[in-house]
Amino acid sequence: MKKSIIGAAVAAAALVCSFAVAAEEVHVAVAANFTAPAKDLQPIYEKATGDKLVLSFGATGAFYAQIKNGAPFDILLAADAKTPAKAVAEGHGVAGTPFTYAVGKLVLWSSDANLVKNDVAAVLNSANVKHVAIANPKLAPYGEAAYQTLKSLGLEKAVEGKTVLGDNIGKTYQFVKTGNAEAGFIALSQCFKDGKFVSGSGYVIPQDLYSEIKQDAVLLKKGENNEGAKRFLKFLKESKEATAIRDAYGYGTAK
């Protein structure tokens, strides 16, 4: 009996050790609009695998500049599809690994619960709306989508003199959240969860008014030999948990 107990203990210890050796630390650069979903995914993934995710949040363009300069990221979850493709083309990403992990949606939002109804023109032309926050279209896909929307609706003049540009969608959201802009075009995921706006008021912009915002993930060269990085990408792409969280924050799926 004593020998069998000792044998079982040794086997259990060996199992724990092998699991610890297999577990990896994975450094992930995450586009600002995907901050909340990534934070929700982190504990679920870590519990399922034993891996540790080290998440950094910010602008895709800024992350790519860091990656080119040797930043130790294993994965990039971008706000667009262009940057992961560029990473592969320029030798910083692993060929064959990019895929669309989410399709972003644009929303006109205000921290004022009564401001935004279903009429974009009424909001932008309102005398009470003196500032409209938009992400810089040269730096952020959501900013580009906002200007495409304005053009589609013939509302470019409505924001003349009112526009406040954010360097990225995170800063753009902060302009609106703090009231420095009465309204703004931001990512739906920043103000929405489980089928409703978590605060303020908003109108989801119909997707036929702007180009599809495909957000791609890519395994970076520094993560090429990190099995945890590969596991996380597979989890993000295939797991029911990841799909449920994307849905909760209003993301679409690639066509």
Side-chain angles (χ1 to χ4, degrees), residues 3-248:
K3 288 184 179 180
S4 63
I5 292 173
I6 293 173
V10 170
L15 180 62
V16 170
C17 289
S18 65
F19 183 76
V21 169
E24 299 275 5
E25 185 170 275
V26 184
H27 292 255
V28 189
V30 184
N33 73 84
F34 204 69
T35 297
K39 287 181 177 180
D40 282 1
L41 280 169
Q42 184 175 19
I44 297 171
Y45 174 76
E46 290 182 343
K47 183 177 180 180
T49 64
D51 292 330
K52 177 178 174 55
L53 296 181
V54 180
L55 305 177
S56 300
F57 306 101
T60 296
F63 276 137
Y64 191 58
Q66 294 171 27
I67 289 165
K68 290 196 294 184
N69 286 319
F73 294 118
D74 300 303
I75 292 170
L76 171 64
L77 302 185
D80 60 12
K82 297 177 182 177
T83 304
K86 184 194 296 186
V88 172
E90 295 182 352
H92 302 293
V94 179
T97 64
F99 67 92
T100 301
Y101 69 92
V103 175
K105 294 181 183 177
L106 184 70
V107 61
L108 178 62
W109 182 74
S110 173
S111 59
D112 181 341
N114 299 308
L115 181 63
V116 181
K117 307 300 182 182
N118 293 336
D119 190 340
V120 175
V123 176
L124 300 184
N125 285 309
S126 171
N128 294 323
V129 177
K130 297 178 173 59
H131 303 93
V132 178
I134 302 177
N136 189 329
K138 295 180 179 179
L139 303 174
Y142 285 90
E144 184 178 1
Y147 277 101
Q148 289 172 351
T149 296
L150 292 172
K151 185 175 181 179
S152 295
L153 296 174
L155 293 173
E156 298 104 313
K157 290 186 177 180
V159 298
E160 284 184 1
K162 294 184 175 184
T163 304
V164 179
L165 285 182
D167 293 340
N168 57 62
I169 202 64
K171 288 185 180 179
T172 306
Y173 168 70
Q174 287 299 322
F175 285 147
V176 189
K177 182 182 179 182
T178 58
N180 288 308
E182 290 78 13
F185 289 94
I186 63 171
L188 179 61
S189 58
Q190 294 173 296
C191 58
F192 179 94
K193 190 177 183 183
D194 295 330
K196 62 184 179 180
F197 288 101
V198 295
S199 63
S201 58
Y203 173 64
V204 182
I205 304 299
Q207 289 198 291
D208 60 353
L209 296 179
Y210 60 92
S211 299
E212 188 175 42
I213 304 174
K214 288 186 177 182
Q215 299 189 197
D216 281 11
V218 63
L219 178 66
L220 299 170
K221 282 290 186 178
K222 286 188 177 294
E224 191 169 15
N225 296 317
N226 186 326
E227 293 303 316
K230 296 173 185 177
R231 279 192 292 270
F232 179 65
L233 287 174
K234 182 178 176 63
F235 176 85
L236 185 63
K237 185 177 184 179
E238 301 178 3
S239 74
K240 293 180 180 179
E241 293 89 346
T243 297
I245 288 174
R246 278 194 296 269
D247 289 346

